[in-house]
Amino acid sequence: MLAVVAVAVPALALAKPLSVCTDANPDGFDVVQYNALVTTNASADVLFSRLVEYDAQAGKVVPAVAQSWTASDDGLTWTFKLRSDVQFGATDWFKPTRPLNADDVVFTFERVFNTQHPWYKTSPSGYPSVQSLQLNKLVKAVKKVDDHTVQFELNYPDATFLPTLTMGWASIYSAEYANKLGVAKAGDLNTKPVGSGPFVLKSFQKDAVIRYDANPNWFGGKPKAEKLIFAITPDATVRLQRLKAGECQIALAPKPLDIQSAKADKNLKVVDNAAFMTAFVAINTQHKPLDNALVRQAINYAFDAKTYLKTVFDGTAQDASRPFPPNTWSFDKDLGDYSYDPAKAKELLKKAGFPNGFETTIWTRPTGSVLNPNPKAGAELLQSDLAKVGIKATIKTIEWGELIKRGKAGEHDLLFMGWAGDNGDPDNFFTPQFSCAAVQSGTNFARYCDSQLDKLIADGKKVSDINQRTKLYRNAQKVIFDQALWVPLAYPTAYALTRANVSGYKVSPFGRQDFAGVTVN
């Protein structure tokens, strides 16, 4: 005992808070209500845990709250055995009296799947990931077998079910805390969260800072940093300045020029990884004349993607042509792409009945991110290219939270957007971005609902054979390409900048954040 104390005291004396310069406010902390990555990072990644997690390095699903699981031969029953040592973090507003058990898992999932559950209607905007992935149709029931065993009964087999449980929406909530609050105070889940992740929330000041403390009882082991701070800093240049000044130890979503600057600074490090992400411009197919496929094709031909890539990403991304990156299985490299051809664009516009073009709007965010490092430059390039073929586009710059909200409502014409998959499965892009259910939930920013495409996507999840799924997904890619639902922009490399004295930080290809093992030396 004395030896342990003698070693621990100097380590505690040297422990430093970990400060991360982030690019935007989270929407809230009740993560199941949202699907923006910045919200997942601030809630699911630090405050909560899930039944299973996805190990990006190993490329497989691994245990988390569930220590093991089995599936029935018909794929309709999944049984999860829970760890007995998972503790919810104690906060200023709630002190748990018991470890996580099956009651918490059942509450978490029944809340979002069961329309008759008393907590189902507590989310004002519904559950976008659950609805867009059609999980409410997939899951028939979630049942407690005993305190440490839970069963999911499905209505049909789904090859993506297990990896889907690694996503932020599947974070486990405390049923004990929910019972204490009652439905009348359900909003506290969004402002005063309780989870079983590596950190607990202390405070949130919008546009300024989020403060967390380490959860000493986290089942993964106490985090290296005693305190975690998110310094909300929308301007990438300011993030770099704060990093250089030592105000932050990690800066997320750097601009390409800042990456070059950091490489030349001995006090900084550049961390990167090939991202499972796609940047794109969504074309709202419910707005005229964008409901015409010829018009959407013309927009694709009018855009000089190579100039865009060089100007906005400056060597930190690949040119995009499909919904997901080329290292994803089922990627169809033989489908072709829309090369820069203004004459072809004009020809298509004339054929569509718009020889003199038309007026439209381009929506974008005010500050940069991994998927859009320079929103202003990108929007102006698209505006200029469209003008050359007679399309007069007005740029609307809208704060990120409002942009997401209004984009989900389908108010936009052309929308600069990006999508990050969670586990390397192509369906991470197909269902949330191109299914009919995702039009209703709002994540299908092209607002395109087509029975043929919807069936291809649904069938791709019902079979487990990868060759059959590949064939279905290649057919789906052809529909998306022919209909020109997006202007694909880039497959970015995900970068972060750190101080040289930071160790243990890795960039996830899915945009997720793991700060539990990060040390500031």
Side-chain angles (χ1 to χ4, degrees), residues 425-436:
D425 194 296
D427 185 68
N428 265 193
F429 286 81
F430 283 125
T431 294
Q433 283 296 322
F434 301 106
S435 69
C436 292

Side-chain angles (χ1 to χ4, degrees), residues 309-331:
L309 200 68
K310 179 174 176 55
T311 302
V312 174
F313 283 91
D314 193 24
T316 63
Q318 297 181 61
D319 188 12
S321 58
R322 305 286 174 270
F324 42 73
N327 58 353
T328 309
W329 61 267
S330 83
F331 182 92

Side-chain angles (χ1 to χ4, degrees), residues 291-414:
D291 59 338
N292 188 321
L294 295 177
V295 171
R296 299 194 298 268
Q297 291 169 7
I299 290 171
N300 272 269
Y301 280 118
F303 186 57
D304 185 352
K306 286 185 171 53
T307 297
Y308 169 86
L309 200 68
K310 179 174 176 55
T311 302
V312 174
F313 283 91
D314 193 24
T316 63
Q318 297 181 61
D319 188 12
S321 58
R322 305 286 174 270
F324 42 73
N327 58 353
T328 309
W329 61 267
S330 83
F331 182 92
D332 191 346
K333 61 180 175 47
D334 300 320
L335 193 54
D337 56 23
Y338 290 99
S339 56
Y340 178 50
D341 191 341
K344 179 72 171 176
K346 289 181 179 179
E347 177 186 325
L348 288 169
L349 287 173
K350 183 178 180 180
K351 188 176 180 181
F354 299 94
N356 299 316
F358 56 90
E359 294 186 5
T360 191
T361 57
I362 297 169
W363 289 34
T364 193
R365 59 188 292 165
T367 57
S369 66
V370 172
L371 285 154
N372 193 353
N374 194 332
K376 183 175 185 292
E380 289 175 349
L381 285 170
L382 178 58
Q383 180 187 50
S384 175
D385 285 344
L386 293 180
K388 293 172 186 175
V389 299
I391 301 174
K392 183 180 179 181
T394 302
I395 296 172
K396 291 189 175 183
T397 303
I398 301 171
E399 185 272 328
W400 173 245
E402 188 71 10
L403 185 75
I404 285 285
K405 180 181 177 181
R406 295 176 66 182
K408 285 183 177 180
E411 296 180 28
H412 61 283
D413 293 327
L414 306 177

Side-chain angles (χ1 to χ4, degrees), residues 52 54 61 158-167 422-423 425 428:
V52 289
Y54 191 81
V61 176
D158 188 317
T160 69
F161 174 66
L162 185 64
T164 296
L165 294 179
T166 69
M167 296 171 65
D422 292 88
N423 52 44
D425 194 296
N428 265 193

Side-chain angles (χ1 to χ4, degrees), residues 478-495:
K478 179 166 174 50
V479 175
I480 294 165
F481 176 79
D482 290 345
Q483 292 296 320
L485 305 180
W486 285 1
V487 179
L489 298 175
Y491 304 124
T493 300
Y495 287 91

Side-chain angles (χ1 to χ4, degrees), residues 148-183:
H148 296 101
T149 309
V150 175
Q151 277 190 346
F152 288 72
E153 293 183 4
L154 309 185
N155 285 311
Y156 47 85
D158 188 317
T160 69
F161 174 66
L162 185 64
T164 296
L165 294 179
T166 69
M167 296 171 65
W169 72 268
S171 298
I172 308 297
Y173 288 71
S174 166
E176 183 186 17
Y177 179 48
N179 289 336
K180 177 190 174 185
L181 290 176
V183 172

